Amino acid sequence: MRYSHQRELILKEVLSRSDHPTAEQICTSLRAVCPRLSLGTVYRDLNTLVEIGKIRRVSIPGEADRFDGELGSHQHMFCRKCRSVISLPIPADQLERLVMACPDVKIEKYALTVFGLCADCAKSEA
Amino acid sequence: MRYSHQRELILKEVLSRSDHPTAEQICTSLRAVCPRLSLGTVYRDLNTLVEIGKIRRVSIPGEADRFDGELGSHQHMFCRKCRSVISLPIPADQLERLVMACPDVKIEKYALTVFGLCADCAKSEA
DNA sequence: TTAACTGCAAATCTTTTGCACAATC
DNA sequence: GATTGTGCAAAAGATTTGCAGTTAA
């Protein structure tokens, strides 16, 4: 794989943020520094970065994919009120034990997605 | 809510199948018995049935949503080879304990999705 | 009768792709 | 110089929606 200015910018952007941005958000941000950056390129480069394991994709049903620079084991929550994605520190070993106990099938990966209200929204809701 | 012939057909179709069909598959099947059934109606009725809790939606990243008539607690696996969705009997109480231990946030629901090879495909792969 | 439901087609949203040009090695 | 990567626009796939007509209560 060759060096690419755009791919490097996109990687840095994802790594520097903890808000799990969408491709569109990444593109918009980076246009401040790379005005001709195209959304197609962002999608292509994000796919590449996920493939080579530099970032992670976070899929939420009915939402645009988010991207995450945190590679350590954790799960995600989607807040239905503010629509933000936050990381949940769910013990990897215990979750893994539950998943891997399934007979016959060959498990390669898994994702636990939680829906509800984030801490801030839960507070203001009450 | 009023009775609707189409909604009843769609509900029966989902309840009678265990293969987690897509809206398109449901529509195609039902056209044998209801030729003018439209895909838009199928989507609308499926959404209604999910809302009133008669069926469940199964979302797989990058795939069309599947629908499930089994309401008991279970999780799902997506086989990357045959692209089927199968039910996984993961102990609800243990999973729930892990999820609910997260502090501050208000959890309303969650879904554990597993990716890999189903039993049949794992066998033929080897 | 009237409000909900349907069929149809068009619109929407996210993501991918074809192609000509630009950048890297 | 050969290829990979990019920008742009068009295409693709899933789902929603507007509207005029139909059906249940």
Side-chain angles (χ1 to χ4, degrees):
Chain A
M1 185 179 316
R2 274 201 311 223
Y3 171 84
S4 134
H5 181 50
Q6 287 88 334
R7 194 195 301 131
E8 232 31 54
L9 283 177
I10 291 166
L11 174 57
K12 272 188 193 132
E13 179 73 11
V14 174
L15 294 182
S16 73
R17 298 173 63 153
S18 56
D19 64 339
H20 308 90
T22 63
E24 181 111 42
Q25 291 171 329
I26 292 165
C27 190
T28 301
S29 290
L30 288 179
R31 275 184 176 153
V33 77
C34 183
R36 309 216 156 277
L37 181 63
S38 92
L39 186 53
T41 296
V42 174
Y43 272 108
R44 255 184 303 229
D45 285 346
L46 285 169
N47 284 340
T48 303
L49 291 167
V50 169
E51 267 163 37
I52 65 179
K54 300 248 185 185
I55 63 174
R56 277 170 65 179
R57 182 192 308 273
V58 182
S59 292
I60 307 287
E63 294 276 312
D65 282 355
R66 317 293 182 102
F67 296 88
D68 191 351
E70 178 55 61
L71 299 178
S73 172
H74 64 281
Q75 307 301 322
H76 294 100
M77 166 174 214
F78 177 69
C79 176
R80 66 166 160 79
K81 199 172 172 195
C82 68
R83 310 183 83 73
S84 66
V85 170
I86 61 175
S87 296
L88 287 187
I90 290 183
D93 54 337
Q94 295 180 49
L95 184 53
E96 178 125 358
R97 200 177 315 133
L98 276 183
V99 172
M100 293 307 173
C102 295
D104 303 323
V105 302
K106 184 178 176 219
I107 290 170
E108 293 169 345
K109 59 178 182 169
Y110 57 88
L112 176 59
T113 308
V114 172
F115 304 85
L117 296 174
C118 69
D120 287 348
C121 288
K123 218 177 297 174
S124 62
E125 187 100 335
Chain B
M1 182 182 314
R2 267 197 325 217
Y3 169 85
S4 133
H5 181 50
Q6 286 87 336
R7 195 196 302 130
E8 231 32 54
L9 283 177
I10 291 166
L11 174 58
K12 272 190 194 130
E13 179 72 10
V14 174
L15 294 182
S16 73
R17 298 173 63 152
S18 56
D19 64 341
H20 307 91
T22 64
E24 181 111 42
Q25 290 170 329
I26 292 165
C27 190
T28 301
S29 289
L30 287 180
R31 274 185 176 150
V33 76
C34 182
R36 307 213 157 276
L37 181 63
S38 92
L39 186 53
T41 295
V42 174
Y43 273 108
R44 256 185 302 229
D45 285 347
L46 286 169
N47 284 342
T48 302
L49 291 167
V50 169
E51 268 163 37
I52 64 178
K54 299 250 184 181
I55 63 174
R56 277 170 66 178
R57 181 192 309 274
V58 182
S59 292
I60 306 287
E63 294 277 312
D65 282 355
R66 317 293 181 103
F67 295 88
D68 190 351
E70 179 53 61
L71 299 179
S73 172
H74 65 281
Q75 307 302 322
H76 294 101
M77 166 175 213
F78 178 68
C79 176
R80 66 165 160 80
K81 198 171 174 197
C82 68
R83 311 184 82 72
S84 66
V85 171
I86 60 173
S87 297
L88 286 187
I90 290 183
D93 54 337
Q94 295 179 50
L95 184 53
E96 179 125 356
R97 200 177 312 135
L98 274 184
V99 172
M100 292 307 172
C102 296
D104 303 323
V105 302
K106 185 178 176 219
I107 290 170
E108 293 170 345
K109 58 177 183 170
Y110 56 88
L112 176 58
T113 308
V114 171
F115 304 85
L117 296 175
C118 68
D120 287 348
C121 289
K123 217 177 295 171
S124 62
E125 187 100 331

Short mmCIF file of all heavy atoms in Angstrom, two decimals, chain B residues 2-3 23-24 39-40 43-44 47 63-65, chain D residues 13-20 22-25:
data_model
loop_
_atom_site.label_atom_id
_atom_site.label_comp_id
_atom_site.label_asym_id
_atom_site.label_seq_id
_atom_site.Cartn_x
_atom_site.Cartn_y
_atom_site.Cartn_z
N ARG B 2 -56.79 -0.63 13.31
CA ARG B 2 -57.79 -1.42 12.60
C ARG B 2 -57.24 -2.76 12.12
O ARG B 2 -56.05 -2.88 11.94
CB ARG B 2 -58.24 -0.64 11.37
CG ARG B 2 -59.40 0.16 11.64
CD ARG B 2 -60.20 0.70 10.55
NE ARG B 2 -59.58 1.11 9.33
CZ ARG B 2 -60.02 2.18 8.67
NH1 ARG B 2 -60.97 2.93 9.18
NH2 ARG B 2 -59.50 2.49 7.52
N TYR B 3 -58.13 -3.70 11.90
CA TYR B 3 -57.71 -4.95 11.29
C TYR B 3 -57.23 -4.67 9.87
O TYR B 3 -57.78 -3.84 9.16
CB TYR B 3 -58.87 -5.94 11.24
CG TYR B 3 -58.57 -7.15 10.40
CD1 TYR B 3 -57.91 -8.24 10.95
CD2 TYR B 3 -58.93 -7.19 9.06
CE1 TYR B 3 -57.61 -9.35 10.17
CE2 TYR B 3 -58.64 -8.29 8.27
CZ TYR B 3 -57.98 -9.37 8.83
OH TYR B 3 -57.68 -10.45 8.06
N ALA B 23 -37.73 -8.07 4.48
CA ALA B 23 -39.00 -7.54 4.00
C ALA B 23 -39.24 -8.00 2.56
O ALA B 23 -40.35 -8.41 2.20
CB ALA B 23 -38.98 -6.01 4.07
N GLU B 24 -38.22 -7.97 1.77
CA GLU B 24 -38.32 -8.38 0.37
C GLU B 24 -38.73 -9.85 0.25
O GLU B 24 -39.59 -10.21 -0.55
CB GLU B 24 -36.96 -8.16 -0.30
CG GLU B 24 -36.91 -8.52 -1.76
CD GLU B 24 -36.76 -7.28 -2.62
OE1 GLU B 24 -35.97 -6.40 -2.24
OE2 GLU B 24 -37.43 -7.21 -3.66
N LEU B 39 -44.21 -3.69 -1.55
CA LEU B 39 -43.07 -3.72 -0.63
C LEU B 39 -43.18 -2.61 0.41
O LEU B 39 -42.83 -2.81 1.58
CB LEU B 39 -41.77 -3.60 -1.43
CG LEU B 39 -40.46 -3.77 -0.69
CD1 LEU B 39 -40.41 -5.05 0.10
CD2 LEU B 39 -39.29 -3.70 -1.66
N GLY B 40 -43.70 -1.46 -0.01
CA GLY B 40 -43.89 -0.37 0.93
C GLY B 40 -44.82 -0.75 2.07
O GLY B 40 -44.57 -0.43 3.24
N TYR B 43 -42.98 -3.08 4.49
CA TYR B 43 -42.13 -2.32 5.40
C TYR B 43 -42.96 -1.62 6.46
O TYR B 43 -42.63 -1.63 7.65
CB TYR B 43 -41.30 -1.29 4.63
CG TYR B 43 -40.00 -1.83 4.10
CD1 TYR B 43 -39.81 -2.08 2.75
CD2 TYR B 43 -38.94 -2.10 4.97
CE1 TYR B 43 -38.61 -2.57 2.27
CE2 TYR B 43 -37.74 -2.59 4.49
CZ TYR B 43 -37.58 -2.82 3.14
OH TYR B 43 -36.38 -3.31 2.67
N ARG B 44 -44.04 -0.98 6.05
CA ARG B 44 -44.88 -0.26 7.01
C ARG B 44 -45.46 -1.21 8.06
O ARG B 44 -45.42 -0.94 9.26
CB ARG B 44 -46.02 0.47 6.29
CG ARG B 44 -45.77 1.97 6.19
CD ARG B 44 -46.94 2.71 5.57
NE ARG B 44 -47.25 2.20 4.22
CZ ARG B 44 -47.42 2.98 3.15
NH1 ARG B 44 -47.29 4.29 3.25
NH2 ARG B 44 -47.71 2.46 1.99
N ASN B 47 -42.86 -2.55 10.50
CA ASN B 47 -42.54 -1.54 11.52
C ASN B 47 -43.62 -1.51 12.60
O ASN B 47 -43.31 -1.45 13.79
CB ASN B 47 -42.41 -0.16 10.88
CG ASN B 47 -41.09 -0.01 10.15
OD1 ASN B 47 -40.15 -0.77 10.38
ND2 ASN B 47 -41.01 0.96 9.26
N GLU B 63 -26.48 -5.32 5.87
CA GLU B 63 -27.49 -6.24 5.35
C GLU B 63 -28.88 -5.63 5.52
O GLU B 63 -29.08 -4.78 6.39
CB GLU B 63 -27.45 -7.56 6.12
CG GLU B 63 -26.19 -8.36 5.94
CD GLU B 63 -26.24 -9.19 4.68
OE1 GLU B 63 -27.26 -9.86 4.46
OE2 GLU B 63 -25.28 -9.14 3.90
N ALA B 64 -29.82 -6.10 4.72
CA ALA B 64 -31.21 -5.70 4.95
C ALA B 64 -31.67 -6.28 6.28
O ALA B 64 -31.26 -7.38 6.66
CB ALA B 64 -32.10 -6.19 3.82
N ASP B 65 -32.53 -5.54 6.97
CA ASP B 65 -33.05 -6.04 8.24
C ASP B 65 -33.78 -7.36 8.06
O ASP B 65 -34.42 -7.60 7.04
CB ASP B 65 -34.04 -5.02 8.83
CG ASP B 65 -33.33 -3.84 9.49
OD1 ASP B 65 -32.08 -3.86 9.56
OD2 ASP B 65 -34.03 -2.92 9.94
P DG D 13 -27.77 -3.17 -6.43
OP1 DG D 13 -27.01 -4.42 -6.54
OP2 DG D 13 -28.94 -2.90 -7.30
"O5'" DG D 13 -28.24 -3.00 -4.93
"C5'" DG D 13 -27.26 -2.84 -3.91
"C4'" DG D 13 -27.96 -2.52 -2.62
"O4'" DG D 13 -28.18 -1.10 -2.54
"C3'" DG D 13 -29.33 -3.19 -2.49
"O3'" DG D 13 -29.41 -3.77 -1.21
"C2'" DG D 13 -30.32 -2.04 -2.67
"C1'" DG D 13 -29.52 -0.85 -2.18
N9 DG D 13 -29.90 0.43 -2.77
C8 DG D 13 -30.30 0.65 -4.06
N7 DG D 13 -30.57 1.91 -4.29
C5 DG D 13 -30.35 2.54 -3.07
C6 DG D 13 -30.49 3.90 -2.71
O6 DG D 13 -30.84 4.86 -3.40
N1 DG D 13 -30.15 4.11 -1.37
C2 DG D 13 -29.75 3.14 -0.50
N2 DG D 13 -29.46 3.51 0.75
N3 DG D 13 -29.60 1.86 -0.83
C4 DG D 13 -29.93 1.64 -2.13
P DA D 14 -30.78 -4.48 -0.73
OP1 DA D 14 -30.39 -5.69 -0.01
OP2 DA D 14 -31.77 -4.53 -1.83
"O5'" DA D 14 -31.31 -3.42 0.34
"C5'" DA D 14 -30.45 -3.05 1.38
"C4'" DA D 14 -31.14 -2.07 2.29
"O4'" DA D 14 -31.33 -0.83 1.59
"C3'" DA D 14 -32.53 -2.51 2.77
"O3'" DA D 14 -32.61 -2.23 4.17
"C2'" DA D 14 -33.49 -1.67 1.95
"C1'" DA D 14 -32.67 -0.41 1.68
N9 DA D 14 -32.97 0.26 0.42
C8 DA D 14 -33.15 -0.31 -0.80
N7 DA D 14 -33.39 0.56 -1.76
C5 DA D 14 -33.37 1.78 -1.10
C6 DA D 14 -33.56 3.10 -1.54
N6 DA D 14 -33.82 3.41 -2.81
N1 DA D 14 -33.47 4.09 -0.63
C2 DA D 14 -33.20 3.77 0.64
N3 DA D 14 -33.00 2.58 1.17
C4 DA D 14 -33.10 1.61 0.24
P DT D 15 -33.93 -2.65 4.98
OP1 DT D 15 -33.47 -2.86 6.35
OP2 DT D 15 -34.69 -3.69 4.25
"O5'" DT D 15 -34.78 -1.30 4.96
"C5'" DT D 15 -34.19 -0.13 5.54
"C4'" DT D 15 -35.02 1.08 5.23
"O4'" DT D 15 -35.05 1.31 3.81
"C3'" DT D 15 -36.49 0.98 5.65
"O3'" DT D 15 -36.68 1.86 6.74
"C2'" DT D 15 -37.28 1.37 4.41
"C1'" DT D 15 -36.22 2.02 3.53
N1 DT D 15 -36.44 1.94 2.07
C2 DT D 15 -36.57 3.11 1.35
O2 DT D 15 -36.51 4.21 1.87
N3 DT D 15 -36.77 2.96 0.01
C4 DT D 15 -36.85 1.77 -0.68
O4 DT D 15 -37.04 1.75 -1.90
C5 DT D 15 -36.71 0.57 0.12
C7 DT D 15 -36.79 -0.78 -0.54
C6 DT D 15 -36.50 0.71 1.44
P DT D 16 -38.10 2.23 7.32
OP1 DT D 16 -37.90 2.60 8.71
OP2 DT D 16 -39.07 1.17 6.95
"O5'" DT D 16 -38.49 3.55 6.51
"C5'" DT D 16 -37.54 4.59 6.44
"C4'" DT D 16 -38.12 5.79 5.72
"O4'" DT D 16 -38.24 5.50 4.31
"C3'" DT D 16 -39.51 6.22 6.19
"O3'" DT D 16 -39.47 7.63 6.32
"C2'" DT D 16 -40.44 5.76 5.06
"C1'" DT D 16 -39.53 5.87 3.86
N1 DT D 16 -39.78 4.95 2.71
C2 DT D 16 -39.90 5.48 1.45
O2 DT D 16 -39.83 6.67 1.22
N3 DT D 16 -40.09 4.55 0.45
C4 DT D 16 -40.18 3.19 0.59
O4 DT D 16 -40.34 2.46 -0.38
C5 DT D 16 -40.06 2.71 1.95
C7 DT D 16 -40.15 1.23 2.20
C6 DT D 16 -39.87 3.59 2.93
P DT D 17 -40.70 8.46 6.88
OP1 DT D 17 -40.13 9.60 7.60
OP2 DT D 17 -41.63 7.53 7.54
"O5'" DT D 17 -41.40 9.01 5.56
"C5'" DT D 17 -40.59 9.64 4.58
"C4'" DT D 17 -41.47 10.13 3.44
"O4'" DT D 17 -41.64 9.07 2.47
"C3'" DT D 17 -42.89 10.55 3.85
"O3'" DT D 17 -43.23 11.69 3.09
"C2'" DT D 17 -43.75 9.36 3.46
"C1'" DT D 17 -43.02 8.89 2.21
N1 DT D 17 -43.18 7.47 1.83
C2 DT D 17 -43.21 7.15 0.51
O2 DT D 17 -43.13 7.97 -0.37
N3 DT D 17 -43.34 5.81 0.25
C4 DT D 17 -43.44 4.79 1.16
O4 DT D 17 -43.56 3.63 0.80
C5 DT D 17 -43.42 5.20 2.54
C7 DT D 17 -43.53 4.17 3.61
C6 DT D 17 -43.28 6.51 2.81
P DG D 18 -44.34 12.74 3.59
OP1 DG D 18 -43.63 13.90 4.16
OP2 DG D 18 -45.32 11.99 4.41
"O5'" DG D 18 -45.03 13.18 2.23
"C5'" DG D 18 -44.25 13.22 1.01
"C4'" DG D 18 -45.17 13.31 -0.19
"O4'" DG D 18 -45.37 11.99 -0.75
"C3'" DG D 18 -46.56 13.84 0.10
"O3'" DG D 18 -47.02 14.54 -1.06
"C2'" DG D 18 -47.37 12.57 0.36
"C1'" DG D 18 -46.70 11.55 -0.56
N9 DG D 18 -46.64 10.20 -0.04
C8 DG D 18 -46.44 9.82 1.27
N7 DG D 18 -46.42 8.51 1.42
C5 DG D 18 -46.61 8.01 0.15
C6 DG D 18 -46.67 6.66 -0.32
O6 DG D 18 -46.56 5.63 0.33
N1 DG D 18 -46.88 6.60 -1.69
C2 DG D 18 -47.01 7.68 -2.50
N2 DG D 18 -47.22 7.43 -3.79
N3 DG D 18 -46.95 8.95 -2.10
C4 DG D 18 -46.75 9.02 -0.76
P DC D 19 -48.42 15.33 -1.03
OP1 DC D 19 -48.19 16.57 -1.82
OP2 DC D 19 -48.97 15.41 0.34
"O5'" DC D 19 -49.34 14.36 -1.90
"C5'" DC D 19 -48.80 13.75 -3.07
"C4'" DC D 19 -49.80 12.75 -3.62
"O4'" DC D 19 -49.54 11.44 -3.08
"C3'" DC D 19 -51.26 13.06 -3.27
"O3'" DC D 19 -52.08 12.81 -4.39
"C2'" DC D 19 -51.55 12.09 -2.14
"C1'" DC D 19 -50.75 10.88 -2.63
N1 DC D 19 -50.46 9.88 -1.57
C2 DC D 19 -50.35 8.53 -1.93
O2 DC D 19 -50.51 8.22 -3.12
N3 DC D 19 -50.09 7.61 -0.97
C4 DC D 19 -49.94 8.01 0.29
N4 DC D 19 -49.68 7.07 1.20
C5 DC D 19 -50.03 9.37 0.68
C6 DC D 19 -50.29 10.27 -0.28
P DA D 20 -53.52 13.61 -4.53
OP1 DA D 20 -53.25 14.89 -5.18
OP2 DA D 20 -54.22 13.58 -3.24
"O5'" DA D 20 -54.29 12.66 -5.53
"C5'" DA D 20 -53.56 11.76 -6.39
"C4'" DA D 20 -54.26 10.40 -6.40
"O4'" DA D 20 -53.81 9.62 -5.25
"C3'" DA D 20 -55.79 10.47 -6.27
"O3'" DA D 20 -56.35 9.50 -7.15
"C2'" DA D 20 -56.04 10.15 -4.80
"C1'" DA D 20 -54.93 9.14 -4.52
N9 DA D 20 -54.54 9.04 -3.12
C8 DA D 20 -54.50 10.03 -2.17
N7 DA D 20 -54.11 9.63 -0.99
C5 DA D 20 -53.86 8.27 -1.16
C6 DA D 20 -53.41 7.27 -0.28
N6 DA D 20 -53.12 7.49 1.00
N1 DA D 20 -53.28 6.02 -0.79
C2 DA D 20 -53.58 5.81 -2.08
N3 DA D 20 -54.00 6.67 -3.00
C4 DA D 20 -54.13 7.90 -2.47
P DT D 22 -60.30 2.79 -5.94
OP1 DT D 22 -60.34 1.78 -7.00
OP2 DT D 22 -61.42 3.77 -5.75
"O5'" DT D 22 -60.06 2.04 -4.57
"C5'" DT D 22 -58.90 1.22 -4.41
"C4'" DT D 22 -58.92 0.60 -3.03
"O4'" DT D 22 -58.70 1.61 -2.03
"C3'" DT D 22 -60.22 -0.10 -2.67
"O3'" DT D 22 -59.88 -1.37 -2.16
"C2'" DT D 22 -60.84 0.81 -1.61
"C1'" DT D 22 -59.60 1.42 -0.97
N1 DT D 22 -59.75 2.75 -0.32
C2 DT D 22 -59.33 2.88 0.99
O2 DT D 22 -58.87 1.96 1.64
N3 DT D 22 -59.47 4.14 1.51
C4 DT D 22 -59.97 5.26 0.87
O4 DT D 22 -60.04 6.34 1.44
C5 DT D 22 -60.40 5.05 -0.49
C7 DT D 22 -60.96 6.19 -1.27
C6 DT D 22 -60.27 3.81 -1.02
P DT D 23 -61.05 -2.45 -1.78
OP1 DT D 23 -60.56 -3.78 -2.16
OP2 DT D 23 -62.36 -1.93 -2.26
"O5'" DT D 23 -61.03 -2.37 -0.19
"C5'" DT D 23 -59.78 -2.52 0.49
"C4'" DT D 23 -60.00 -2.33 1.97
"O4'" DT D 23 -60.16 -0.93 2.28
"C3'" DT D 23 -61.25 -3.03 2.52
"O3'" DT D 23 -60.89 -3.61 3.75
"C2'" DT D 23 -62.25 -1.89 2.69
"C1'" DT D 23 -61.29 -0.77 3.11
N1 DT D 23 -61.77 0.63 2.87
C2 DT D 23 -61.49 1.57 3.81
O2 DT D 23 -60.88 1.33 4.83
N3 DT D 23 -61.95 2.82 3.50
C4 DT D 23 -62.66 3.21 2.39
O4 DT D 23 -63.02 4.37 2.23
C5 DT D 23 -62.94 2.15 1.44
C7 DT D 23 -63.71 2.47 0.18
C6 DT D 23 -62.49 0.93 1.72
P DA D 24 -61.80 -4.80 4.40
OP1 DA D 24 -61.01 -6.04 4.39
OP2 DA D 24 -63.15 -4.76 3.79
"O5'" DA D 24 -61.89 -4.30 5.91
"C5'" DA D 24 -60.68 -4.06 6.62
"C4'" DA D 24 -60.95 -3.14 7.77
"O4'" DA D 24 -61.42 -1.86 7.30
"C3'" DA D 24 -62.00 -3.63 8.76
"O3'" DA D 24 -61.57 -3.32 10.06
"C2'" DA D 24 -63.25 -2.84 8.37
"C1'" DA D 24 -62.65 -1.53 7.89
N9 DA D 24 -63.41 -0.83 6.87
C8 DA D 24 -63.99 -1.38 5.76
N7 DA D 24 -64.59 -0.49 4.99
C5 DA D 24 -64.38 0.71 5.63
C6 DA D 24 -64.74 2.04 5.32
N6 DA D 24 -65.44 2.38 4.24
N1 DA D 24 -64.36 3.00 6.18
C2 DA D 24 -63.66 2.66 7.27
N3 DA D 24 -63.26 1.46 7.66
C4 DA D 24 -63.65 0.52 6.79
P DA D 25 -62.35 -3.88 11.36
OP1 DA D 25 -61.37 -4.17 12.40
OP2 DA D 25 -63.27 -4.93 10.86
"O5'" DA D 25 -63.23 -2.63 11.81
"C5'" DA D 25 -62.62 -1.60 12.58
"C4'" DA D 25 -63.62 -0.51 12.83
"O4'" DA D 25 -64.12 -0.03 11.55
"C3'" DA D 25 -64.86 -0.95 13.63
"O3'" DA D 25 -65.15 -0.01 14.64
"C2'" DA D 25 -65.98 -0.96 12.59
"C1'" DA D 25 -65.52 0.12 11.64
N9 DA D 25 -66.05 -0.03 10.29
C8 DA D 25 -66.30 -1.18 9.61
N7 DA D 25 -66.79 -0.99 8.40
C5 DA D 25 -66.88 0.39 8.29
C6 DA D 25 -67.33 1.22 7.27
N6 DA D 25 -67.78 0.77 6.09
N1 DA D 25 -67.27 2.55 7.49
C2 DA D 25 -66.80 3.01 8.66
N3 DA D 25 -66.36 2.31 9.71
C4 DA D 25 -66.42 0.99 9.45
#
